[in-house]
Amino acid sequence: SQQGEEDPQALSIQEGENATMNCSYKTSINNLQWYRQNSGRGLVHLILIRSNEREKHSGRLRVTLDTSKKSSSLLITASRAADTASYFCALTGGGNKLTFGTGTQLKVEL
Amino acid sequence: DTAVSQTPKYLVTQMGNDKSIKCEQNLGHDTMYWYKQDSKKFLKIMFSYNNKELIINETVPNRFSPKSPDKAHLNLHINSLELGDSAVYFCASSPGTVTEAFFGQGTRLTVV
């Protein structure tokens, strides 16, 4: 299966702390993407990292990709209450499918 | 302007009915998708169209039939609705098949 498995399933932190989410997968990929979903809303694209890239930054987001371990991590630094959402990794590989992981529910408390 | 818009946002209907969900994107993208999100938030791809042509058709019951009249629209028609069809259905579009996707707000379908 091309689906990513995310860890942890749920994460609760205090505002100002860093949040780290991990995504592991089993097949080869073209790229890996991270999305955020606020409660009751659609998914919003955060960042895309290609299979030949190891690290990417966007504002307070840092994504790493280790293709040898078939894993990626999303780090959100200095978290805010507004970061409370579900975060999904999504894989693009053979078959031109964008396949989503199981998601991590992040709660940032004041 | 809304990039990817779906209608309706909520849909409550009885078992056995036929219903449609409409999706339109004004981004000029070539590829559109339908995803189903279940109660555990698991997102599963159902269909993908590229320039009005079906390119991905996952293991979805024949009761679900997508239609793309042009590359800006991808509608989903569901026949003989069942309780298990209750979920949130998301439409999405992307410039290509391996790039970022833009999602609509979702249609929450409840079958009673």
Side-chain angles (χ1 to χ4, degrees):
Chain A
S1 165
Q2 192 177 344
Q3 180 189 337
E5 297 276 340
E6 297 195 50
D7 171 63
Q9 286 188 314
L11 180 60
S12 184
I13 58 174
Q14 298 293 311
E15 200 173 46
E17 293 180 340
N18 296 341
T20 300
M21 291 156 251
N22 302 296
C23 173
S24 59
Y25 56 93
K26 295 180 181 176
T27 61
S28 60
I29 59 171
N30 293 325
N31 64 54
L32 186 145
Q33 304 177 37
W34 286 90
Y35 288 78
R36 183 187 72 229
Q37 183 180 32
N38 290 88
S39 181
R41 307 297 295 273
L43 283 83
V44 174
H45 181 265
L46 296 176
I47 199 163
L48 180 153
I49 186 165
R50 292 186 169 77
S51 59
N52 61 354
E53 297 176 312
R54 292 296 166 259
E55 189 171 310
K56 212 161 182 183
H57 296 255
S58 176
R60 292 184 297 114
L61 306 180
R62 173 178 168 251
V63 168
T64 62
L65 178 64
D66 187 334
T67 52
S68 66
K69 294 181 179 178
K70 290 187 167 53
S71 68
S72 174
S73 67
L74 170 66
L75 168 67
I76 304 174
T77 60
S79 63
R80 306 166 181 167
D83 294 328
T84 295
S86 293
Y87 292 81
F88 295 87
C89 65
L91 313 175
T92 306
N96 295 321
K97 282 196 297 187
L98 184 60
T99 307
F100 283 82
T102 48
T104 294
Q105 293 192 45
L106 173 65
K107 184 174 182 181
V108 182
E109 300 186 79
L110 295 170
Chain B
D1 287 337
T2 304
V4 181
S5 60
Q6 298 177 227
T7 54
K9 189 171 182 180
Y10 300 97
L11 186 52
V12 181
T13 187
Q14 290 188 326
M15 275 195 306
N17 283 351
D18 303 338
K19 290 293 178 187
S20 291
I21 307 172
K22 295 187 175 183
C23 178
E24 175 182 5
Q25 55 98 1
N26 62 5
L27 299 167
H29 290 165
D30 288 337
T31 306
M32 295 186 73
Y33 311 86
W34 277 110
Y35 282 86
K36 178 181 179 180
Q37 187 172 45
D38 63 22
S39 58
K40 295 185 178 179
K41 293 201 169 185
F42 178 58
L43 271 158
K44 182 174 170 55
I45 189 167
M46 300 172 69
F47 302 102
S48 176
Y49 272 72
N50 190 53
N51 275 322
K52 303 193 298 176
E53 299 296 322
L54 179 67
I55 57 171
I56 293 172
N57 183 351
E58 289 295 283
T59 311
V60 178
N62 291 338
R63 299 181 295 103
F64 290 80
S65 52
K67 283 188 173 54
S68 182
D70 55 62
K71 77 172 192 177
H73 295 84
L74 180 61
N75 304 322
L76 183 65
H77 188 76
I78 315 169
N79 290 327
S80 304
L81 278 154
E82 300 177 357
L83 292 176
D85 297 331
S86 295
V88 182
Y89 292 84
F90 285 99
C91 176
S93 74
S94 65
T97 53
V98 291
T99 55
E100 65 175 287
F102 293 76
F103 280 76
Q105 292 297 296
T107 295
R108 181 173 292 276
L109 171 66
T110 304
V111 183
V112 297

